[in-house]
């Protein structure tokens, strides 16, 4: 089913298009500082989501890395007097200074010129995801941007990936999901799509061992896609390092 080069590329956002720790570390430290109350100081909120206020980094096992904003808000609400819905709204409204993993515009233009269609499926909310992509000047390159709140659920469920394939009029077998977490790969597998792991997020190659391919980051996509022309899935799978 996957012997020919996929034509629709579905990107995760955090850790794939933008640096996870570089973007969300400063955001989270500021957000928790602002959310803190006498009953729930920032240090307690940070511990709840596996975040280190001193280093500004998430622990590898943090549930926030692959979870949705709603998931994070629900965890914070166990320590915060506000409701999960109120915290979620506050988090989604905060500005984010997204740090791309590489210059995105030329890379995406190269992929489009090669005949690929591009979309984003993120476990972030759709509106802030669109804002971040627009601020980086690349929103128009994507035919669809789907978030956990777009009506199709969140990864690792396959429904949002299948919704993208249906909306773009393509089959799941002609799609590839590119992401930095097991949620991305599990969703791809369940949807009948190829799953490409990238090491630009918190996950290691061992974490992403179930991927059809593991790349250092998305800048390696054009060469990998070109190498797939006329190849078999097994031959196309590089050895993780």
């Amino acid at each position: 089913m996957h012997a020919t080069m996929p034509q629709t590329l579905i990107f995760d956002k955090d850790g794939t298009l933008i640096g996870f720790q570089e973007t969300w570390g400063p955001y989270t430290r500021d957000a928790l500082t602002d959310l803190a109350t006498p009953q729930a100081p920032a240090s307690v909120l940070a511990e709840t989501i596996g975040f280190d206020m001193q280093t500004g980094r998430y622990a590898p096992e943090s549930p926030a890395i692959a979870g949705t904003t709603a998931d994070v808000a629900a965890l914070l609400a166990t320590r915060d007097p506000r409701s999960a819905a109120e915290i979620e709204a506050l988090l989604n409204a905060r500005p984010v200074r997204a740090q791309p993993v590489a210059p995105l515009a030329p890379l995406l233009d190269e992929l489009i010129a090669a005949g690929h269609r591009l979309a984003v499926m993120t476990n972030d909310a759709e509106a802030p995801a669109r804002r971040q992509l627009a601020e980086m000047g690349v929103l128009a390159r994507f035919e669809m941007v789907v978030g956990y709140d777009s009506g199709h659920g969140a990864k690792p469920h396959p429904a949002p990936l299948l919704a993208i394939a249906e909306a773009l009029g393509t089959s799941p077998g002609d799609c590839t999901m590119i992401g930095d977490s097991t949620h991305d790969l599990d969703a791809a597998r369940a949807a009948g799509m190829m799953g490409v792991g990238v090491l630009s997020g918190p996950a290691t190659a061992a974490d992403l061992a179930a991927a059809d391919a593991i790349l250092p980051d998305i800048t390696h996509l054009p060469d990998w896609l070109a190498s797939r022309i006329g190849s078999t899935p097994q031959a196309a799978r590089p050895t993780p390092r």
Side-chain angles (χ1 to χ4, degrees):
M1 177 173 60
H2 298 303
T4 58
M5 185 169 62
Q7 294 298 305
T8 298
L9 306 177
I10 304 173
F11 291 87
D12 170 55
K13 177 172 67 70
D14 303 320
T16 303
L17 295 172
I18 67 176
F20 185 88
Q21 302 283 13
E22 297 84 354
T23 298
W24 294 105
Y27 166 93
T28 303
R29 184 154 48 191
D30 291 345
L32 295 183
T33 299
D34 290 346
L35 284 172
T37 65
Q39 300 94 331
S43 59
V44 171
L45 296 176
E47 181 182 4
T48 304
I49 60 172
F51 181 76
D52 189 320
M53 290 291 287
Q54 297 299 316
T55 64
R57 297 182 70 82
Y58 280 92
E61 66 277 8
S62 167
I65 290 176
T68 68
T69 310
D71 295 332
V72 173
L75 286 171
L76 293 174
T78 64
R79 302 293 186 91
D80 192 289
R82 286 161 291 201
S83 70
E86 184 179 358
I87 296 171
E88 180 183 3
L90 290 170
L91 293 176
N92 280 334
R94 287 189 69 88
V96 178
R97 182 168 293 183
Q99 302 296 320
V101 298
L104 294 180
L107 171 63
L108 299 176
D109 287 343
E110 180 181 359
L111 294 171
I112 292 169
H116 301 289
R117 304 177 73 180
L118 311 181
V120 169
M121 197 287 125
T122 174
N123 276 359
D124 195 0
E126 180 179 338
R130 286 182 172 276
R131 283 200 307 269
Q132 293 156 35
L133 294 169
E135 288 165 2
M136 292 187 291
V138 296
L139 177 60
R141 270 86 169 178
F142 297 101
E143 295 186 44
M144 287 189 71
V145 176
V146 174
Y148 76 88
D149 59 348
S150 298
H152 310 291
K155 298 171 293 190
H157 199 282
L161 303 188
L162 294 172
I164 291 173
E166 181 178 4
L168 297 184
T170 188
S171 68
D174 289 328
C175 298
T176 292
M177 175 76 212
I178 302 107
D180 70 306
S181 78
T182 56
H183 274 22
D184 300 311
L185 302 179
D186 290 345
R189 186 181 303 108
M193 301 179 180
M194 288 196 73
V196 172
V198 288
L199 298 176
S200 47
T204 66
D207 296 329
L208 304 178
D212 291 289
I214 300 176
L215 306 177
D217 57 55
I218 57 173
T219 64
H220 294 257
L221 266 175
D223 287 345
W224 178 77
L225 289 163
S227 76
R228 282 191 49 76
I229 300 177
S231 67
T232 64
Q234 194 63 32
R237 184 177 301 182
T239 302
R241 295 181 181 179

